[in-house]
Amino acid sequence: KLLKEKGIGTYILFQETYHKPTYDKMHPKSLKGDYNYHLTAFDRAMEAGIDDVGAGVLFGLADPRFEVLGLMMHNAHLEEKFGVGFHTISVPRLRPADDIDPADFPEALSDEIFQKIVAIIRLAVPYTGMIVSTRESQKTREKVLHLGISQISGASSTSVGGYADRELGVKEEVTSAQFDVDDDRTLDEVVNWLLKMGYIPSFCTACYREGRTGDRFMSLAKTGQIANCCQPNALLTLNEYLDDYASEDTRKKGKALIERELENITNPKAKETCIKYLNAIDEGKRDFRF
């Protein structure tokens, strides 16, 4: 209820593993160590008024087939009880850390199985956002992007206070990192890479700000109508990034992509409005959305 009152967007909580014996082994006896209490957190969140939730497991702890089934059954439970399932599903897998070697875990995923899991989840829930983080290498992220990943991070820090240190020009303390990051490119490099592959890097948060969450979002997502908002909003937020932060090469690539993608907006009125907003952004105005 406190999070809802503060205007939270999506409430994301990783189960880490749906396999109870593994969960009990990995967690000390505490509130988080209570498997059933953790498992029912989304029920309590939705009962408190939060209608947008995101899930994930840490692949490599238990049999990945069991974990995927756990995610899908959890999603089906929320659909049945509350009318809306996961807004996003994340697919992190074990990474090296100070005292962790993934090779010590018999269920650690190969690249091939990891890609297969992404494809299976995408087929099972075509309307759900799928997230892959900088845990994965550029090569792996490129492969799973083509298989259905819709959200990726860039320039991430896993250290305590890492983002604040970066702003102050302080070198991150390696010893405080939760795990090793495999894709350490800057945000501009990640955006440039996405543009080169023909993707639209979108920084859109319009649905949260317009109250299009929960069943209001899913009704549009499941019918494909959300594209009428996503396409122009992606171009508008990309244009803001290009004008305010991008390198010259990224800016050039981005502007060319925007020109091409405008032709894919089939609604004449929406296209006209989008062009008007894009021009206003170039004039220094900000925060337009559909």
Side-chain angles (χ1 to χ4, degrees), residues 164-176:
D165 287 345
R166 191 180 294 169
E167 287 290 322
L168 297 169
V170 178
K171 189 175 181 181
E172 289 187 39
E173 279 292 332
V174 178
T175 53
S176 73

Side-chain angles (χ1 to χ4, degrees), residues 219-230:
S219 64
L220 294 172
K222 289 180 178 180
T223 58
Q225 293 181 57
I226 196 67
N228 295 324
C229 299
C230 287

